[in-house]
mmCIF file of all heavy atoms in Angstrom:
data_model
loop_
_atom_site.group_PDB
_atom_site.id
_atom_site.type_symbol
_atom_site.label_atom_id
_atom_site.label_comp_id
_atom_site.label_asym_id
_atom_site.label_seq_id
_atom_site.Cartn_x
_atom_site.Cartn_y
_atom_site.Cartn_z
ATOM 1 N N ILE C 1 -59.969 105.162 -89.119
ATOM 2 C CA ILE C 1 -60.997 105.907 -88.403
ATOM 3 C C ILE C 1 -62.376 105.774 -89.211
ATOM 4 O O ILE C 1 -63.408 105.693 -88.599
ATOM 5 C CB ILE C 1 -60.485 107.351 -88.375
ATOM 6 C CG1 ILE C 1 -59.286 107.473 -87.631
ATOM 7 C CG2 ILE C 1 -61.517 108.270 -87.849
ATOM 8 C CD1 ILE C 1 -58.604 108.908 -87.705
ATOM 9 N N LEU C 2 -62.140 105.753 -90.491
ATOM 10 C CA LEU C 2 -63.336 105.662 -91.363
ATOM 11 C C LEU C 2 -64.046 104.430 -91.244
ATOM 12 O O LEU C 2 -65.317 104.597 -91.038
ATOM 13 C CB LEU C 2 -62.890 105.714 -92.960
ATOM 14 C CG LEU C 2 -63.984 105.494 -94.020
ATOM 15 C CD1 LEU C 2 -64.925 106.669 -93.972
ATOM 16 C CD2 LEU C 2 -63.341 105.303 -95.422
ATOM 17 N N VAL C 3 -63.492 103.229 -91.048
ATOM 18 C CA VAL C 3 -64.190 101.948 -90.878
ATOM 19 C C VAL C 3 -64.897 101.926 -89.524
ATOM 20 O O VAL C 3 -65.935 101.360 -89.472
ATOM 21 C CB VAL C 3 -63.268 100.807 -91.142
ATOM 22 C CG1 VAL C 3 -62.405 100.524 -89.967
ATOM 23 C CG2 VAL C 3 -64.237 99.532 -91.495
ATOM 24 N N LEU C 4 -64.196 102.522 -88.565
ATOM 25 C CA LEU C 4 -64.914 102.527 -87.201
ATOM 26 C C LEU C 4 -66.149 103.425 -87.295
ATOM 27 O O LEU C 4 -67.123 103.177 -86.563
ATOM 28 C CB LEU C 4 -63.880 103.043 -86.141
ATOM 29 C CG LEU C 4 -62.650 102.253 -85.905
ATOM 30 C CD1 LEU C 4 -61.709 102.754 -84.880
ATOM 31 C CD2 LEU C 4 -63.163 100.749 -85.523
ATOM 32 N N PHE C 5 -66.232 104.471 -87.955
ATOM 33 C CA PHE C 5 -67.235 105.379 -88.055
ATOM 34 C C PHE C 5 -68.451 104.733 -88.912
ATOM 35 O O PHE C 5 -69.659 104.787 -88.628
ATOM 36 C CB PHE C 5 -66.972 106.678 -88.734
ATOM 37 C CG PHE C 5 -66.634 107.746 -87.816
ATOM 38 C CD1 PHE C 5 -65.318 107.895 -87.321
ATOM 39 C CD2 PHE C 5 -67.515 108.677 -87.255
ATOM 40 C CE1 PHE C 5 -64.792 108.828 -86.480
ATOM 41 C CE2 PHE C 5 -67.160 109.561 -86.325
ATOM 42 C CZ PHE C 5 -65.773 109.659 -85.831
ATOM 43 N N PHE C 6 -68.081 103.857 -89.942
ATOM 44 C CA PHE C 6 -68.962 102.992 -90.642
ATOM 45 C C PHE C 6 -69.582 101.991 -89.678
ATOM 46 O O PHE C 6 -70.705 101.697 -89.877
ATOM 47 C CB PHE C 6 -68.427 102.399 -91.948
ATOM 48 C CG PHE C 6 -68.580 103.187 -93.113
ATOM 49 C CD1 PHE C 6 -67.360 103.526 -93.879
ATOM 50 C CD2 PHE C 6 -69.692 103.654 -93.482
ATOM 51 C CE1 PHE C 6 -67.534 104.458 -95.135
ATOM 52 C CE2 PHE C 6 -69.900 104.388 -94.764
ATOM 53 C CZ PHE C 6 -68.838 104.776 -95.566
ATOM 54 N N TYR C 7 -68.829 101.474 -88.869
ATOM 55 C CA TYR C 7 -69.164 100.414 -87.926
ATOM 56 C C TYR C 7 -70.396 100.985 -87.061
ATOM 57 O O TYR C 7 -71.270 100.461 -86.859
ATOM 58 C CB TYR C 7 -68.000 99.902 -87.014
ATOM 59 C CG TYR C 7 -68.544 98.973 -86.027
ATOM 60 C CD1 TYR C 7 -68.764 97.616 -86.466
ATOM 61 C CD2 TYR C 7 -68.798 99.298 -84.731
ATOM 62 C CE1 TYR C 7 -69.161 96.561 -85.463
ATOM 63 C CE2 TYR C 7 -69.131 98.469 -83.802
ATOM 64 C CZ TYR C 7 -69.341 97.072 -84.128
ATOM 65 O OH TYR C 7 -69.724 96.129 -83.172
ATOM 66 N N LYS C 8 -70.113 102.314 -86.558
ATOM 67 C CA LYS C 8 -71.054 103.000 -85.657
ATOM 68 C C LYS C 8 -72.287 103.094 -86.512
ATOM 69 O O LYS C 8 -73.570 102.989 -86.019
ATOM 70 C CB LYS C 8 -70.382 104.277 -85.309
ATOM 71 C CG LYS C 8 -71.411 105.352 -84.636
ATOM 72 C CD LYS C 8 -71.859 104.683 -83.192
ATOM 73 C CE LYS C 8 -72.717 105.763 -82.385
ATOM 74 N NZ LYS C 8 -73.213 105.085 -81.192
ATOM 75 N N LEU C 9 -72.243 103.546 -87.804
ATOM 76 C CA LEU C 9 -73.506 103.709 -88.554
ATOM 77 C C LEU C 9 -74.102 102.500 -88.886
ATOM 78 O O LEU C 9 -75.426 102.504 -89.066
ATOM 79 C CB LEU C 9 -73.063 104.501 -89.834
ATOM 80 C CG LEU C 9 -72.704 105.994 -89.881
ATOM 81 C CD1 LEU C 9 -72.202 106.433 -91.341
ATOM 82 C CD2 LEU C 9 -73.982 106.739 -89.602
ATOM 83 N N LEU C 10 -73.577 101.426 -89.121
ATOM 84 C CA LEU C 10 -74.202 100.297 -89.649
ATOM 85 C C LEU C 10 -74.279 99.004 -88.883
ATOM 86 O O LEU C 10 -74.835 98.015 -89.255
ATOM 87 C CB LEU C 10 -73.491 100.014 -91.047
ATOM 88 C CG LEU C 10 -73.547 100.960 -92.251
ATOM 89 C CD1 LEU C 10 -72.428 100.841 -93.165
ATOM 90 C CD2 LEU C 10 -74.908 101.117 -92.732
ATOM 91 N N LYS C 11 -73.731 99.039 -87.604
ATOM 92 C CA LYS C 11 -73.824 97.787 -86.885
ATOM 93 C C LYS C 11 -75.137 97.330 -86.511
ATOM 94 O O LYS C 11 -75.341 96.217 -86.159
ATOM 95 C CB LYS C 11 -72.914 98.064 -85.571
ATOM 96 C CG LYS C 11 -73.469 99.130 -84.692
ATOM 97 C CD LYS C 11 -72.646 99.244 -83.388
ATOM 98 C CE LYS C 11 -73.355 100.248 -82.369
ATOM 99 N NZ LYS C 11 -72.528 100.418 -81.229
ATOM 100 N N SER C 12 -76.128 98.325 -86.540
ATOM 101 C CA SER C 12 -77.493 97.849 -86.228
ATOM 102 C C SER C 12 -78.075 96.896 -87.309
ATOM 103 O O SER C 12 -79.106 96.169 -86.920
ATOM 104 C CB SER C 12 -78.374 99.009 -85.971
ATOM 105 O OG SER C 12 -78.500 99.810 -87.134
ATOM 106 N N VAL C 13 -77.555 97.026 -88.458
ATOM 107 C CA VAL C 13 -78.117 96.178 -89.547
ATOM 108 C C VAL C 13 -77.629 94.700 -89.327
ATOM 109 O O VAL C 13 -78.404 93.752 -89.370
ATOM 110 C CB VAL C 13 -77.463 96.548 -90.952
ATOM 111 C CG1 VAL C 13 -78.065 95.753 -92.030
ATOM 112 C CG2 VAL C 13 -78.000 98.106 -91.160
ATOM 113 N N SER C 14 -76.352 94.442 -89.075
ATOM 114 C CA SER C 14 -75.883 93.131 -88.784
ATOM 115 C C SER C 14 -74.436 93.458 -88.058
ATOM 116 O O SER C 14 -73.514 93.737 -88.788
ATOM 117 C CB SER C 14 -75.632 92.230 -89.900
ATOM 118 O OG SER C 14 -74.977 91.116 -89.652
ATOM 119 N N ARG C 15 -74.386 93.081 -86.804
ATOM 120 C CA ARG C 15 -73.074 93.271 -86.104
ATOM 121 C C ARG C 15 -71.923 92.458 -86.639
ATOM 122 O O ARG C 15 -70.838 92.791 -86.764
ATOM 123 C CB ARG C 15 -73.220 93.018 -84.535
ATOM 124 C CG ARG C 15 -72.060 93.532 -83.731
ATOM 125 C CD ARG C 15 -72.343 93.241 -82.293
ATOM 126 N NE ARG C 15 -73.455 94.110 -81.848
ATOM 127 C CZ ARG C 15 -73.322 95.345 -81.347
ATOM 128 N NH1 ARG C 15 -72.059 95.924 -81.240
ATOM 129 N NH2 ARG C 15 -74.431 96.005 -80.914
ATOM 130 N N SER C 16 -72.417 91.168 -86.968
ATOM 131 C CA SER C 16 -71.307 90.197 -87.543
ATOM 132 C C SER C 16 -70.747 90.760 -88.693
ATOM 133 O O SER C 16 -69.596 90.624 -89.049
ATOM 134 C CB SER C 16 -71.918 88.721 -87.604
ATOM 135 O OG SER C 16 -72.952 88.759 -88.602
ATOM 136 N N VAL C 17 -71.595 91.190 -89.706
ATOM 137 C CA VAL C 17 -71.091 91.690 -91.061
ATOM 138 C C VAL C 17 -70.245 92.994 -90.852
ATOM 139 O O VAL C 17 -69.335 93.098 -91.495
ATOM 140 C CB VAL C 17 -72.239 91.900 -91.962
ATOM 141 C CG1 VAL C 17 -71.748 92.459 -93.306
ATOM 142 C CG2 VAL C 17 -73.015 90.581 -92.236
ATOM 143 N N ALA C 18 -70.799 93.727 -89.950
ATOM 144 C CA ALA C 18 -70.000 94.962 -89.626
ATOM 145 C C ALA C 18 -68.653 94.802 -89.136
ATOM 146 O O ALA C 18 -67.688 95.377 -89.426
ATOM 147 C CB ALA C 18 -70.846 95.885 -88.688
ATOM 148 N N ILE C 19 -68.436 93.715 -88.258
ATOM 149 C CA ILE C 19 -67.279 93.394 -87.751
ATOM 150 C C ILE C 19 -66.354 92.742 -88.903
ATOM 151 O O ILE C 19 -65.028 93.160 -88.894
ATOM 152 C CB ILE C 19 -67.346 92.357 -86.523
ATOM 153 C CG1 ILE C 19 -67.974 92.808 -85.345
ATOM 154 C CG2 ILE C 19 -65.988 91.633 -86.250
ATOM 155 C CD1 ILE C 19 -68.369 91.906 -84.279
ATOM 156 N N LEU C 20 -66.866 92.058 -89.807
ATOM 157 C CA LEU C 20 -66.211 91.489 -90.884
ATOM 158 C C LEU C 20 -65.627 92.586 -91.730
ATOM 159 O O LEU C 20 -64.448 92.663 -92.189
ATOM 160 C CB LEU C 20 -67.024 90.663 -91.897
ATOM 161 C CG LEU C 20 -66.442 90.197 -93.167
ATOM 162 C CD1 LEU C 20 -65.180 89.364 -92.943
ATOM 163 C CD2 LEU C 20 -67.409 89.436 -94.031
ATOM 164 N N MET C 21 -66.402 93.733 -91.974
ATOM 165 C CA MET C 21 -65.923 95.006 -92.711
ATOM 166 C C MET C 21 -64.784 95.547 -91.895
ATOM 167 O O MET C 21 -63.840 95.929 -92.698
ATOM 168 C CB MET C 21 -67.205 95.931 -92.726
ATOM 169 C CG MET C 21 -66.814 97.288 -93.244
ATOM 170 S SD MET C 21 -68.230 98.403 -93.157
ATOM 171 C CE MET C 21 -68.330 98.637 -91.408
ATOM 172 N N VAL C 22 -64.883 95.740 -90.657
ATOM 173 C CA VAL C 22 -63.668 96.367 -89.876
ATOM 174 C C VAL C 22 -62.394 95.429 -90.094
ATOM 175 O O VAL C 22 -61.329 96.008 -90.266
ATOM 176 C CB VAL C 22 -64.123 96.558 -88.431
ATOM 177 C CG1 VAL C 22 -62.844 97.011 -87.604
ATOM 178 C CG2 VAL C 22 -65.275 97.497 -88.250
ATOM 179 N N VAL C 23 -62.679 94.179 -89.764
ATOM 180 C CA VAL C 23 -61.478 93.145 -89.985
ATOM 181 C C VAL C 23 -60.806 93.295 -91.295
ATOM 182 O O VAL C 23 -59.535 93.322 -91.329
ATOM 183 C CB VAL C 23 -61.943 91.742 -89.685
ATOM 184 C CG1 VAL C 23 -60.811 90.760 -89.980
ATOM 185 C CG2 VAL C 23 -62.283 91.604 -88.257
ATOM 186 N N LEU C 24 -61.536 93.367 -92.367
ATOM 187 C CA LEU C 24 -60.886 93.394 -93.694
ATOM 188 C C LEU C 24 -60.069 94.718 -93.958
ATOM 189 O O LEU C 24 -58.983 94.749 -94.375
ATOM 190 C CB LEU C 24 -62.006 93.353 -94.759
ATOM 191 C CG LEU C 24 -62.669 91.974 -94.933
ATOM 192 C CD1 LEU C 24 -63.887 92.104 -95.911
ATOM 193 C CD2 LEU C 24 -61.707 90.947 -95.508
ATOM 194 N N VAL C 25 -60.620 95.828 -93.341
ATOM 195 C CA VAL C 25 -59.783 97.130 -93.451
ATOM 196 C C VAL C 25 -58.517 96.899 -92.465
ATOM 197 O O VAL C 25 -57.447 97.365 -92.984
ATOM 198 C CB VAL C 25 -60.600 98.274 -93.057
ATOM 199 C CG1 VAL C 25 -59.741 99.526 -92.777
ATOM 200 C CG2 VAL C 25 -61.724 98.549 -94.086
ATOM 201 N N LEU C 26 -58.705 96.348 -91.343
ATOM 202 C CA LEU C 26 -57.550 96.215 -90.442
ATOM 203 C C LEU C 26 -56.490 95.263 -90.958
ATOM 204 O O LEU C 26 -55.397 95.323 -90.541
ATOM 205 C CB LEU C 26 -58.012 95.855 -88.998
ATOM 206 C CG LEU C 26 -58.863 96.915 -88.379
ATOM 207 C CD1 LEU C 26 -59.250 96.484 -86.958
ATOM 208 C CD2 LEU C 26 -58.259 98.196 -88.284
ATOM 209 N N VAL C 27 -56.892 94.358 -91.825
ATOM 210 C CA VAL C 27 -55.846 93.450 -92.432
ATOM 211 C C VAL C 27 -55.189 94.307 -93.634
ATOM 212 O O VAL C 27 -53.908 94.118 -93.732
ATOM 213 C CB VAL C 27 -56.602 92.288 -93.099
ATOM 214 C CG1 VAL C 27 -55.594 91.619 -94.008
ATOM 215 C CG2 VAL C 27 -57.052 91.343 -92.034
ATOM 216 N N ALA C 28 -55.780 95.195 -94.341
ATOM 217 C CA ALA C 28 -55.328 95.861 -95.441
ATOM 218 C C ALA C 28 -54.364 96.932 -94.898
ATOM 219 O O ALA C 28 -53.269 97.139 -95.613
ATOM 220 C CB ALA C 28 -56.404 96.604 -96.128
ATOM 221 N N VAL C 29 -54.629 97.510 -93.729
ATOM 222 C CA VAL C 29 -53.757 98.737 -93.286
ATOM 223 C C VAL C 29 -52.371 98.344 -93.006
ATOM 224 O O VAL C 29 -51.391 98.959 -93.622
ATOM 225 C CB VAL C 29 -54.358 99.281 -92.079
ATOM 226 C CG1 VAL C 29 -53.421 100.185 -91.349
ATOM 227 C CG2 VAL C 29 -55.662 100.179 -92.435
ATOM 228 N N PRO C 30 -51.978 97.327 -92.319
ATOM 229 C CA PRO C 30 -50.612 96.963 -92.148
ATOM 230 C C PRO C 30 -49.896 96.517 -93.380
ATOM 231 O O PRO C 30 -48.660 96.787 -93.434
ATOM 232 C CB PRO C 30 -50.590 95.755 -91.039
ATOM 233 C CG PRO C 30 -51.979 95.272 -91.137
ATOM 234 C CD PRO C 30 -52.855 96.401 -91.613
ATOM 235 N N ILE C 31 -50.568 95.859 -94.295
ATOM 236 C CA ILE C 31 -49.900 95.439 -95.552
ATOM 237 C C ILE C 31 -49.587 96.719 -96.306
ATOM 238 O O ILE C 31 -48.295 96.877 -96.835
ATOM 239 C CB ILE C 31 -50.998 94.630 -96.491
ATOM 240 C CG1 ILE C 31 -51.253 93.247 -95.794
ATOM 241 C CG2 ILE C 31 -50.458 94.443 -97.846
ATOM 242 C CD1 ILE C 31 -52.354 92.568 -96.460
#
Protein backbone atom coordinates (compact mmCIF):
# COMPACT_ATOMS: atom_id res chain seq x y z
CA ILE A 1 0.00 0.00 0.00
CA LEU A 2 2.82 2.37 0.92
CA VAL A 3 4.66 2.14 -2.39
CA LEU A 4 1.43 2.68 -4.33
CA PHE A 5 0.81 5.88 -2.38
CA PHE A 6 4.40 6.98 -3.06
CA TYR A 7 3.75 6.27 -6.74
CA LYS A 8 0.73 8.56 -6.61
CA LEU A 9 2.82 11.28 -4.95
CA LEU A 10 5.87 11.07 -7.19
CA LYS A 11 4.90 9.72 -10.62
CA SER A 12 4.80 13.25 -12.05
CA VAL A 13 8.57 13.53 -11.51
CA SER A 14 9.38 10.44 -13.60
CA ARG A 15 6.86 7.73 -14.30
CA SER A 16 9.54 5.22 -15.31
CA VAL A 17 11.56 5.70 -12.10
CA ALA A 18 8.35 5.55 -10.05
CA ILE A 19 7.46 2.23 -11.71
CA LEU A 20 10.96 0.92 -10.90
CA MET A 21 10.37 1.88 -7.27
CA VAL A 22 7.10 -0.08 -7.22
CA VAL A 23 8.65 -3.12 -8.93
CA LEU A 24 11.50 -3.32 -6.39
CA VAL A 25 9.03 -3.38 -3.51
CA LEU A 26 6.83 -5.94 -5.25
CA VAL A 27 9.89 -8.18 -5.65
CA ALA A 28 10.77 -7.86 -1.96
CA VAL A 29 7.28 -8.65 -0.67
CA PRO A 30 6.94 -12.30 -1.81
CA ILE A 31 10.52 -13.04 -0.72
